[in-house]
Amino acid sequence: MTDQIQRFLFDDTNVRGEIVTLEAAYREVLDKHAYPAPVNRLLGELLSAVALLTETVKLDGTLSMEVRGKGPVSLLMAESNPGGELRAIARLSEAHDLPGDTAGFREWLGDGQIVITLDPQEGNRYQGIVALDADDLASCLEDYFSRSEQLPTRLWLTADGQRAAGLLLQQLPNDTANKDPDAWDRTVHLASTLRDDELLRLKQRELLFRLYHEEVIRVFDPKALRFGCTCSRERIVQALYNLGADELREILEEQKAIDTQCHFCNTRYHFNAAEIEALIESPDSPAPTVH
């Protein structure tokens, strides 16, 4: 199964859709950490959702989604970039006992919110927030689209620790090109018959035929997806520089060097005392980041 996202639309209607399937990228995220099985499944759903939303809003930039909970899982985060690269992490709360494998979305996350950040390469950064009021991630995101985009949107998300997948349908504003006013209700009803194992196992075109063999569908070329991390030594240098000379020298006095690790890909970065002093003293040091 290829990691990819497939766009499609129903001719002569105002309904469009996307299917995403993830295997290698999803497994690479999980292999770098040791999360409980239910958290692995939640991360798979989040990765699928980020891919779907990035393609839906046609963002030429980075889209990140943070699920901030007050339960055993304090954070789920996934991110995409214009090159089709995905990454994700989870953070567990030490203040809570972990529920069993049969516990649901709300039992793992509790109350909280989803923060969706769109950071285009050009233009203004946008952030949307939606409460964790529903019983699953898909329903929460449907509420986000209803409130912020004001476009009827339905999502189906699933993951099993090996594969992750998602289906999105969206109704666009009505115009004279729509010759089928019942298309939205009909396509959503048919998608609701889809089982999780079909979404995970069927090839995308097979899935579309299974659901919509009586519909006229235009299918676009799929876009490849993969795991990718945006961390780099240069980014870490920038972050260290922003700490300031006093704090850097305090760390050096205690530890004799500075070691840090990317939370997403586990890459380790080591800076000895001489490198940190050179960073502090160099006139070519990066300019401080303004927040």
Side-chain angles (χ1 to χ4, degrees):
M1 181 182 294
T2 303
D3 290 39
Q4 64 180 34
I5 189 163
Q6 178 83 67
R7 291 195 304 119
F8 60 93
L9 58 81
F10 298 88
D11 280 346
D12 299 325
T13 78
N14 61 343
V15 181
R16 66 180 180 186
E18 300 164 9
I19 307 173
V20 62
T21 51
L22 297 170
E23 186 169 8
Y26 177 40
R27 287 302 313 162
E28 193 155 353
V29 167
L30 301 188
D31 287 346
K32 296 181 184 303
H33 304 278
Y35 301 127
V39 178
N40 288 341
R41 293 192 290 270
L42 290 173
L43 272 178
E45 292 185 13
L46 191 66
L47 275 170
S48 299
V50 164
L52 290 168
L53 265 64
T54 301
E55 196 68 19
T56 299
V57 300
K58 296 179 172 60
L59 178 68
D60 184 18
T62 300
L63 186 148
S64 64
M65 191 183 305
E66 298 180 40
V67 185
R68 302 173 182 173
K70 297 180 180 178
V73 174
S74 60
L75 176 70
L76 297 171
M77 180 182 178
E79 182 181 275
S80 72
N81 66 32
E85 294 179 323
L86 304 169
R87 63 180 190 170
I89 55 170
R91 191 169 298 150
L92 303 181
S93 171
E94 297 180 357
H96 294 82
D97 294 330
L98 299 183
D101 284 358
T102 59
F105 177 77
R106 294 300 303 275
E107 292 171 278
W108 278 95
L109 286 154
D111 295 327
Q113 60 187 12
I114 301 175
V115 180
I116 300 171
T117 304
L118 281 62
D119 194 1
Q121 293 184 346
E122 296 183 6
N124 297 324
R125 193 167 180 259
Y126 168 82
Q127 195 167 77
I129 299 175
V130 60
L132 294 178
D133 287 338
D135 291 331
D136 54 58
L137 177 63
S139 299
C140 291
L141 293 176
E142 289 171 359
D143 186 48
Y144 164 77
F145 273 103
S146 175
R147 294 169 184 259
S148 66
E149 304 291 331
Q150 297 182 341
L151 292 174
T153 304
R154 291 293 312 274
L155 289 108
W156 294 262
L157 302 170
T158 187
D160 65 359
Q162 298 294 323
R163 297 182 180 90
L167 170 66
L168 178 147
L169 293 178
Q170 189 169 71
Q171 184 181 33
L172 301 174
N174 210 0
D175 59 26
T176 56
N178 180 21
K179 300 179 174 59
D180 188 349
D182 298 324
W184 173 249
D185 290 339
R186 186 174 67 254
T187 55
V188 167
H189 172 73
L190 291 170
S192 299
T193 68
L194 187 64
R195 302 191 310 269
D196 284 351
D197 65 301
E198 293 176 313
L199 187 52
L200 287 170
R201 308 293 169 180
L202 291 180
K203 293 181 180 180
Q204 292 173 346
R205 287 180 179 266
E206 290 177 358
L207 187 147
L208 287 175
F209 182 80
R210 141 80 171 91
L211 292 175
Y212 301 122
H213 55 276
E214 295 185 357
E215 306 289 334
V216 180
I217 301 181
R218 190 183 314 172
V219 180
F220 298 88
D221 291 337
K223 176 181 177 180
L225 303 172
R226 63 189 181 278
F227 174 83
C229 192
T230 57
C231 76
S232 67
R233 192 171 181 85
E234 290 73 21
R235 286 175 177 260
I236 300 299
V237 165
Q238 174 72 75
L240 292 174
Y241 186 84
N242 289 339
L243 292 177
D246 291 342
E247 186 167 348
L248 288 174
R249 285 182 171 132
E250 285 181 14
I251 297 172
L252 283 179
E253 187 174 347
E254 293 177 5
Q255 303 177 8
K256 310 305 179 187
I258 295 180
D259 290 283
T260 186
Q261 180 177 347
C262 174
H263 295 298
F264 289 94
C265 67
N266 288 341
T267 300
R268 294 181 179 274
Y269 296 93
H270 174 81
F271 299 87
N272 61 34
E275 289 172 321
I276 296 299
E277 285 296 338
L279 171 64
I280 294 171
E281 299 295 340
S282 173
D284 297 324
S285 296
T289 300
V290 178
H291 294 282

